[in-house]
Amino acid sequence: MSVSNIENAMQPRMKLKHRLSIFDGNLLGFDGGEWGGQLIFLNADGSAKTLINQNIKSIIKSDNGVYAFTGLAHMDINEEAVWQIEETSKGTVMARPIIQLQGMPEQVQEHSAGRHVFQVFTGKFDSMNTPIFNCFQFADQAIYPSNKCHKTPY
C-alpha cells in the first residue's frame, strides 16, 4: 500500500493534512471535520495501521517524543487531546492519549527547541461573534499557559 492509495481511499471527506516520516515509515494525519479523521502509520513494507480515529490537527516531533494533536469543534462538540506516538521494543507503533485539552487545538507551531505553542478554541464568542482562543505551550509532556501564540485570523 502507498500514501497515494491511502489518500485516495479517504477521499472525498478526509484530507491528508499532516505527514511525518518516522519509525521506518510514515505517520499520515487526516482531518475530515465533522466526518472524522484518522492517524495512520504506513510501514516501509506497505502495511498500514490505524492508530487514532479522530481528526488530526498536528503531528510534531520534539526532543522527548512524537505527538499528535486531535480535535473537533462542531455544534456542541469540542473534543481534543494530545497523544504520544511510540514504537515498542517489538517494532509496533502505538498511540496513547496523554493529555485532555480544554478545546480544539489550532495553529500548533514550534516556538523553541522542544516547545510548541498552540491555540485552543474555548467554545465561546465575543460580542462581535468572533471565536475566543486561549494560548498554551506544550513542553516535556505538559501544557502551560502561554502568550507566544499568533493571533488567529478570524
Side-chain angles (χ1 to χ4, degrees):
M1 188 169 290
S2 69
V3 172
S4 298
N5 291 347
I6 293 174
E7 209 172 352
N8 289 336
M10 296 294 187
Q11 297 291 341
R13 294 186 182 204
M14 283 194 236
K15 306 276 189 238
L16 178 62
K17 299 284 183 144
H18 307 280
R19 179 178 179 174
L20 178 66
S21 294
I22 193 101
F23 308 132
D24 198 26
N26 286 285
L27 288 172
L28 308 173
F30 292 86
D31 185 343
E34 63 196 78
W35 291 282
Q38 290 184 328
L39 181 67
I40 295 173
F41 179 68
L42 179 61
N43 204 325
D45 68 8
S47 61
K49 177 183 178 183
T50 299
L51 302 177
I52 302 172
N53 280 308
Q54 295 180 18
N55 287 320
I56 306 303
K57 295 302 185 182
S58 184
I59 304 169
I60 62 171
K61 182 177 185 287
S62 71
D63 295 340
N64 46 344
V66 177
Y67 303 92
F69 286 70
T70 63
L72 173 65
H74 177 69
M75 299 179 75
D76 289 338
I77 300 169
N78 198 8
E79 300 173 342
E80 50 291 314
V82 178
W83 296 68
Q84 185 170 21
I85 315 303
E86 301 173 295
E87 184 175 35
T88 68
S89 59
K90 295 181 180 180
T92 303
V93 177
M94 302 175 63
R96 66 182 175 92
I98 60 168
I99 300 171
Q100 287 298 128
L101 300 174
Q102 299 170 2
M104 184 182 74
E106 292 194 19
Q107 296 186 359
V108 180
Q109 301 171 350
E110 186 170 16
H111 172 62
S112 59
R115 299 181 183 279
H116 290 76
V117 294
F118 61 96
Q119 297 181 70
V120 168
F121 175 53
T122 63
K124 299 177 183 175
F125 297 86
D126 67 13
S127 60
M128 301 295 291
N129 206 31
T130 303
I132 298 172
F133 291 85
N134 289 330
C135 180
F136 293 93
Q137 176 177 264
F138 176 70
D140 302 321
Q141 295 188 348
I143 302 293
Y144 307 96
S146 177
N147 62 357
K148 304 294 183 191
C149 295
H150 299 288
K151 183 164 175 41
T152 303
Y154 284 103

